[in-house]
Amino acid sequence: MSLAQLHYTSATAGDDGGGARFTAVSAGIPTPVLAEAEQLLGYAPPAGAPYHPTTGELRSFPEAFSFSTLSDGSHLLSRTVALDGPGAGGFHAHAVHLPAGTRLPGDALPITAWRSPNWASVAPVGGTPGPMAALPASAAFGPEALNDFAVSRSPWLAAVFADLRRVCEEPAQARLVLVERQCADVARWIALAGAVLPPETAQRLTFTTYTRRPSGSPHQIVGVLPEDAPEPTGPDGAFLGCATAPGRAPASRWAMPGPRPAPGSGATGPPSCSGWRRSCPANPSPPGRSR
């Protein structure tokens, strides 16, 4: 069986200004799926990104790796990366469409496809995706690597997992916002979530490792950079996270109340964060990043 694929690419230097468009689509993907996918596959570069980024700067831009539920019950697993193009907004998205009731081969969790070698950063020649039987896992989430990450985030594990449980119990009413300087660390959090959740729940968990607009995300777990973290605007102004230790990056989280946007609706979710508190160490000092 070959996975159904979509390639969605921004305008590139020399284009006629047509904007982002599908550049390759497997046969048989319904038109309504393409319409919803367009709303999910765009990319906004980080705040303050240079207008003409160098190759090195482009490589440092966060990768948006997402698993989304569509209105027909199917799913979209996608990877969007920054590319050279007009201004700082060039990107290429490669996605796999999973019809309702289907999963990745071998029942692999969606997060295991993070940085799989089968993701492409350019559209295939001729406009037709080649056959792809699977998305082999990278070595990013081996037991030792995940254990080291868990140790580095140990002051926050219990609180984050408690928030995760709330998000899974109320999938239409809450989301978990993770603030990290590296999108790879958000992916590691999601991999940890997959390791502790019941298998069926882990398979349904929707996420994105990066967005500039967390309030408009339809995902249950949302990764953001520190500069895009939503302001705590609950009734008591509670800040759901830990104080920043000197020289360390954030590992904060918020659980955002209110309904998430319905798939395909184009609506945005609530801009506010919840007002309930959790205690965090004022000056944590575990290895790794923290906030």
Side-chain angles (χ1 to χ4, degrees):
M1 181 190 75
S2 183
L3 297 170
Q5 302 169 64
L6 306 81
H7 290 261
Y8 187 69
T9 311
S10 65
T12 58
D15 278 354
D16 59 6
R21 62 190 184 278
F22 287 104
T23 48
V25 177
S26 295
I29 296 180
T31 300
V33 167
L34 298 180
E36 286 191 54
E38 278 193 293
Q39 306 303 312
L40 296 165
L41 297 178
Y43 184 88
Y51 190 72
H52 292 293
T54 64
T55 300
E57 287 168 335
L58 284 170
R59 288 175 179 166
S60 72
F61 284 11
E63 177 180 318
F65 183 63
S66 306
F67 183 64
S68 312
T69 300
L70 305 183
S71 59
D72 65 353
S74 65
H75 291 90
L76 196 71
L77 182 62
S78 62
R79 169 187 177 262
T80 305
V81 294
L83 293 180
D84 190 18
F91 69 87
H92 178 82
H94 183 192
V96 165
H97 179 242
L98 300 172
T102 66
R103 298 177 177 176
L104 288 176
D107 284 343
L109 292 180
I111 190 59
T112 64
W114 165 260
R115 292 188 176 166
S116 170
N118 281 3
W119 291 117
S121 297
V122 295
V125 176
T128 301
M132 186 168 68
L135 285 164
S138 71
F141 299 140
E144 184 175 350
L146 275 187
N147 182 69
D148 289 345
F149 181 75
V151 170
S152 76
R153 299 303 194 275
S154 57
W156 305 280
L157 286 177
V160 169
F161 287 162
D163 292 347
L164 175 67
R165 178 179 179 180
R166 177 191 177 197
V167 166
C168 292
E169 289 175 346
E170 305 172 19
Q173 298 299 321
R175 78 192 69 166
L176 178 60
V177 178
L178 297 171
V179 184
E180 291 277 7
R181 292 197 186 282
Q182 302 295 328
C183 61
D185 288 336
V186 176
R188 292 183 181 100
W189 274 117
I190 297 166
L192 284 178
V196 302
L197 289 171
E200 288 295 324
T201 304
Q203 285 284 356
R204 295 192 301 269
L205 185 69
T206 62
F207 58 79
T208 184
T209 58
Y210 167 72
T211 181
R212 288 291 312 279
R213 303 174 183 86
S215 64
S217 174
H219 303 97
Q220 291 170 282
I221 297 183
V222 181
V224 298
L225 298 177
E227 54 267 34
D228 296 319
E231 292 295 329
T233 55
D236 62 353
F239 174 73
L240 300 183
C242 294
T244 305
R248 297 187 183 274
S252 307
R253 84 279 177 268
W254 290 266
M256 299 177 69
R260 290 180 288 110
S265 68
T268 59
S272 62
C273 302
S274 65
W276 40 273
R277 300 179 180 273
R278 294 196 183 277
S279 59
C280 295
N283 293 292
S285 55
R289 302 176 181 86
S290 61
R291 176 173 171 179

